[in-house]
Amino acid sequence: MQKELLSGGEILIKALIAEGVKTVFGYPGGSIMPVYDVLYDYTRGEKKAFDHVLVRHEQAATHAAEGYARVSGEVGVCIVTSGPGVTNTLTGVADAMLDSTPMVVIAGQVGIAALGTDAFQEVDLVGVAQPISKWSYQIRRPEDVAWAVSRAFYIARSGRPGPVVLDFPKNAQVDMAEWEPKHVDFVRSYVPYPEPDDRAIAEAAELINAAERPLALVGQGVELGNAHSELLEFIEKAGVPAARTLLGLSALPSGHPLNVGMLGMHGNYAPNVKEQECDVLIAVGMRFSDRVTGLVSAYARQAKVVHLDIDKSEIDKNVKADVAVVGDCKVTLPAITRLLKKNSHAEWLESFAPARELEYEKVIRPAIHPAGGPLLMGEVVNAVAEATGGEAVLVTDVGQNQMFASRYFKFNRKRSIVTSGGLGTMGFGIPAAIGATFGAPERTVCMFTGDGGFQMSIQELGTIMEQQAPVKMILMNNNYLGNVRQWQDMFFGGRKSFTSMMNPLYEKVAAAYGIPYTLVTDRSQLAAGVERMLATPGPYLLECAVKEEDNVLPMTPPGKAVDEMLLEIK
């Protein structure tokens, strides 16, 4: 049978369809125009195969793709043009790399004949993207398109996920080739799922069985590996208290009796203190980030460390492991669990209570149930968390809004937190929330942001308007770059260098984009404002005028050990 002769651009679209792509985020331009011409047919009418979401900035395309991927478990896809179009995506590519988010970026490029001539909007994309992606590749011929797309998706979604960048010169988009679907499931020297070592599994089980004060550290690897039930079976059989990293917050239900809180610089006091007292530390799908360990030389020196990770390069990188179990945690967790004795560490678990109660009295209760004064960020987050009952997707921007939201939101369901962890990208919130509404259209998406991050991607209100994306935006406006201001107050003598912000009238901004809006200036208005936001179909902007110099606590100061957390600022 004669194969179909198609342009490289049409082969690209057919290859995306073969990968099961349902939504693409993008922005057209000169060097990608042939692909967009093909998209015209495949996003409408009888040939419609998927949706294309026109963002207002290419960086937003990547963050939207990240949001989509994080809540759906699928690969996020974005299509952009060459030069500034693709360089605008690089922040999102780096963000996805650090947070292990599966994403494929397809970028136009000048034709092969013009490469190296400094042609209009030419940039060495493969060279630029290589250090911040799992794979970057230039498709030079239409015959290679189907193979390259299949390989890109395989690499992006397998093993430890991450971003892949495809550079697509214009000649390869317009030249013709025979269309034949490709299926790549092997790349030489790439081992995405290492075979677990039975001896390491036995040693890990032996250490956990002998432990008197074990503590599990649950990371995003559990979410990425879809190992939620395996994690529950493990901690429940062993009776191990479990703390979660920022990106692993929804890997374990907030209300689970063995859940002892959030780790890290602004995490909960009890698990941070108890890391320094446990005798066996079991890290599951987490990388011992500096925001978790604090001063690494003083971190958990008394504990035997069992580290479960799919990526061998993370083993011993920051914290030395006594037992390293390399492999997919969906496989390694049950392998260890089978060797565990049924156990309970009730006395050890109860020992968390004094630190938890101290934090509640000094930090949590004043933050979510203040006696008076200005509206606080903690009570805003708590009000939304209570109203959504742990069922919503939490999306955050970066800064104080991120830490307050992560601390006080509640999670009953997996894949429920979308935030920029490793790179800390301001402006992430709005586009990531847009992507989340496409990745989980049946769920409520609540996006918390500060006035700084909101204005970094404020143009994406245009995308929300056009798509009627049902993002519930909670803008906690303190007229500051709040996180930097807090550090300036704590460590730079209160010298507030360029952190005070003059803000627009957000009511008029919302009106310009046709987005319903409410301003809350007093806590007496908060419950009604939240109720109105959640009851209104489609997008909504709830602006909350919060205390200007509110601080996120507890806090482990930089250079300090994790148990040197501050519960108050004197």
Side-chain angles (χ1 to χ4, degrees):
M1 188 174 72
Q2 189 174 8
K3 296 186 176 75
E4 232 181 331
L5 197 65
L6 300 175
S7 71
E10 190 157 10
I11 293 173
L12 171 74
I13 300 307
K14 284 188 171 289
L16 292 178
I17 294 168
E19 292 296 334
V21 173
K22 297 292 189 293
T23 306
V24 171
F25 304 91
Y27 202 97
S31 289
I32 198 68
M33 218 175 290
V35 168
Y36 268 85
D37 187 60
V38 176
L39 270 172
Y40 185 89
D41 290 328
Y42 283 91
T43 54
R44 69 197 70 212
E46 292 181 3
K47 290 175 74 173
K48 180 172 179 178
F50 49 75
D51 292 314
H52 177 279
V53 178
L54 176 67
V55 295
R56 300 310 191 256
H57 191 283
E58 292 91 352
Q59 182 178 332
T62 56
H63 296 327
E66 287 183 274
Y68 179 92
R70 296 268 279 272
V71 298
S72 69
E74 303 296 330
V75 178
V77 181
C78 49
I79 301 177
V80 298
T81 195
S82 63
V86 74
T87 58
N88 281 342
T89 71
L90 293 177
T91 295
V93 172
D95 193 278
M97 188 68 178
L98 282 170
D99 286 352
S100 304
T101 303
M103 179 171 71
V104 172
V105 176
I106 299 156
Q109 178 61 283
V110 301
I112 292 294
L115 286 174
T117 67
D118 290 333
F120 179 66
Q121 294 190 334
E122 179 193 356
V123 69
D124 177 12
L125 176 58
V126 173
V128 171
Q130 198 164 29
I132 56 171
S133 62
K134 277 189 79 175
W135 184 50
S136 61
Y137 179 76
Q138 187 174 79
I139 308 171
R140 301 173 71 92
R141 307 183 311 152
E143 291 87 350
D144 298 331
V145 173
W147 167 84
V149 170
S150 182
R151 194 178 199 264
F153 274 76
Y154 172 63
I155 291 172
R157 65 162 64 101
S158 61
R160 181 179 181 174
V164 169
V165 177
L166 294 178
D167 192 32
F168 198 10
K170 207 166 185 178
N171 63 284
Q173 298 173 43
V174 299
D175 290 349
M176 308 296 283
E178 291 182 337
W179 155 243
E180 182 180 357
K182 301 291 183 182
H183 179 66
V184 175
D185 58 8
F186 171 78
V187 175
R188 190 175 63 183
S189 79
Y190 172 55
V191 184
Y193 302 103
E195 193 66 32
D197 183 340
D198 290 341
R199 185 168 60 181
I201 286 168
E203 289 174 359
E206 185 179 357
L207 268 180
I208 296 164
N209 280 330
E212 295 180 357
R213 301 180 307 280
L215 178 61
L217 312 183
V218 178
Q220 189 192 197
V222 172
E223 298 255 55
L224 297 173
N226 292 307
H228 305 86
S229 59
E230 289 81 1
L231 173 72
L232 285 174
E233 290 169 15
F234 168 75
I235 63 172
E236 288 171 357
K237 185 175 183 181
V240 177
R244 305 154 300 160
T245 66
L246 174 65
L247 295 183
L249 281 175
S250 62
L252 184 64
S254 297
H256 194 283
L258 289 171
N259 185 346
V260 293
M262 181 172 112
L263 296 162
M265 176 179 279
H266 290 295
N268 293 113
Y269 186 53
N272 280 282
V273 168
K274 292 298 180 177
E275 282 179 290
Q276 304 294 71
E277 298 177 17
C278 68
D279 59 356
V280 175
L281 199 63
I282 308 130
V284 186
M286 56 87 70
R287 60 188 178 85
F288 289 110
S289 157
D290 59 296
R291 287 295 171 109
V292 166
T293 64
L295 181 63
V296 71
S297 62
Y299 180 74
R301 297 178 67 180
Q302 80 294 337
K304 297 287 186 183
V305 175
V306 178
H307 193 175
L308 283 68
D309 206 287
I310 200 167
D311 186 351
K312 188 177 180 181
S313 71
E314 291 297 346
I315 304 298
D316 297 336
K317 186 173 82 174
N318 296 326
V319 171
K320 182 83 172 77
D322 294 278
V323 179
V325 182
V326 180
D328 185 348
C329 61
K330 194 170 182 68
V331 175
T332 57
L333 272 173
I336 293 171
T337 303
R338 283 192 288 271
L339 302 178
L340 295 181
K341 303 170 189 172
K342 178 68 177 173
N343 211 338
S344 171
H345 297 280
E347 188 175 339
W348 165 237
L349 184 60
E350 287 169 10
S351 74
F352 284 70
R356 185 168 57 245
E357 290 162 7
L358 181 63
E359 181 187 359
Y360 184 81
E361 289 303 317
K362 282 189 169 289
V363 178
I364 297 174
R365 186 166 56 79
I368 65 176
H369 300 300
L375 192 64
L376 301 181
M377 283 185 264
E379 65 181 313
V380 172
V381 175
N382 185 63
V384 179
E386 293 289 331
T388 51
E391 296 298 314
V393 173
L394 169 67
V395 182
T396 83
D397 208 274
V398 167
Q400 287 185 318
N401 67 88
Q402 178 185 34
M403 294 297 100
F404 275 112
S406 301
R407 282 180 53 80
Y408 296 121
F409 214 71
K410 301 292 185 291
F411 306 97
N412 292 340
R413 299 172 62 178
K414 63 184 181 180
R415 294 190 175 277
S416 291
I417 180 166
V418 180
T419 192
S420 174
L423 198 63
T425 305
M426 287 181 69
F428 176 87
I430 299 176
I434 294 169
T437 65
F438 283 90
E442 76 287 355
R443 301 188 64 187
T444 300
V445 175
C446 295
M447 190 278 296
F448 288 86
T449 182
D451 40 315
F454 189 77
Q455 290 183 83
M456 280 198 174
S457 55
I458 199 168
Q459 75 283 341
E460 296 311 314
L461 294 178
T463 309
I464 289 176
M465 173 183 65
E466 184 170 349
Q467 300 295 332
Q468 281 302 290
V471 181
K472 308 305 182 186
M473 296 171 279
I474 301 96
L475 168 59
M476 300 191 290
N477 186 357
N478 59 8
N479 298 305
Y480 271 108
L481 298 175
N483 210 46
V484 184
R485 190 274 312 153
Q486 179 172 335
W487 281 52
Q488 287 173 339
D489 280 348
M490 293 178 70
F491 310 119
F492 292 88
R495 290 159 55 88
K496 297 180 179 62
S497 181
F498 299 101
T499 45
S500 176
M501 295 197 76
M502 178 179 288
N503 285 306
L505 294 173
Y506 291 110
E507 180 178 11
K508 293 189 175 183
V509 172
Y513 286 102
I515 296 173
Y517 166 93
T518 293
L519 173 63
V520 173
T521 58
D522 187 87
R523 64 180 47 89
S524 64
Q525 306 165 330
L526 181 59
V530 170
E531 182 180 358
R532 190 179 307 117
M533 174 184 72
L534 295 174
T536 302
Y540 202 97
L541 176 58
L542 180 68
E543 181 184 359
C544 298
V546 296
K547 181 179 179 181
E548 288 199 344
E549 298 188 3
D550 198 4
N551 292 316
V552 188
L553 292 167
M555 179 179 182
T556 302
K560 298 291 185 180
V562 290
D563 57 344
E564 296 182 89
M565 293 193 89
L566 301 176
L567 291 171
E568 56 188 346
I569 299 174
K570 297 178 180 177

